[in-house]
Amino acid sequence: MKKNKNIEESLSKDLIIVRGIPGSGKSNFAELLGTKAICCADDYHVHNGEYLWKAKAMGRAHEWCQRKCAKFMKRQVERIVVTNTNTTERELKIYYDLARNFGYKVFSVIIENRHDGINIHDVPVETLEKMRNRFTIKL
């Protein structure tokens, strides 16, 4: 029986979406996975090593992150990690669509903040609470 090369290739490519609220350790977990192909909207806000977050740039930051992910996929990078809060299905959809289009298996990993991690980006408590309340999970 002849194997379908496209199916074999798609089974060897992974997109790992690391989800969680700020301070949960998404970036630290992503580094443990041992890939340089990490996409994070927060990186858009880093200039000369300093994190300069601006609310008005959030849309651009996420578009930049999505383009970075697509570029990795076009290059057929075997393991790509996305580390954004990804609290809703709407936020996840673009990555699932990209994965389907480029033949990637998707793993959604939720990072809990059981270690009392610190929110290094100074996200206000009320914003964190809104994120917790809208966080969707499919079991």
Side-chain angles (χ1 to χ4, degrees), residues 26-139:
K26 296 179 300 295
S27 297
N28 290 331
F29 180 78
E31 289 175 13
L32 293 173
L33 297 174
T35 181
K36 300 283 185 208
I38 298 175
C39 307
C40 179
D42 279 341
D43 292 346
Y44 180 85
H45 302 285
V46 177
H47 304 282
N48 298 321
E50 188 177 352
Y51 185 76
L52 303 169
W53 186 85
K54 293 181 180 142
K56 66 181 181 180
M58 282 306 297
R60 286 191 307 274
H62 282 280
E63 289 169 1
W64 173 85
C65 185
Q66 294 158 7
R67 283 192 308 273
K68 183 176 180 182
C69 183
K71 285 178 187 176
F72 283 137
M73 288 181 175
K74 285 176 186 169
R75 293 185 4 226
Q76 301 290 304
V77 172
E78 287 184 17
R79 179 180 291 155
I80 302 167
V81 181
V82 175
T83 63
N84 294 322
T85 56
N86 293 306
T87 59
T88 66
E89 291 295 320
R90 185 182 62 80
E91 294 167 338
L92 292 165
K93 185 180 182 320
I94 183 70
Y95 295 106
Y96 275 91
D97 289 348
L98 285 169
R100 186 174 39 260
N101 291 339
F102 286 97
Y104 278 75
K105 265 188 308 189
V106 179
F107 296 91
S108 174
V109 179
I110 297 172
I111 304 297
E112 297 180 85
N113 190 356
R114 292 181 180 247
H115 59 285
D116 296 324
I118 297 170
N119 161 22
I120 62 170
H121 301 305
D122 295 323
V123 177
V125 174
E126 57 273 6
T127 302
L128 293 173
E129 195 57 36
K130 287 178 185 175
M131 288 180 176
R132 281 186 193 96
N133 290 336
R134 73 173 182 246
F135 205 98
T136 57
I137 184 170
K138 256 186 179 177
L139 297 176

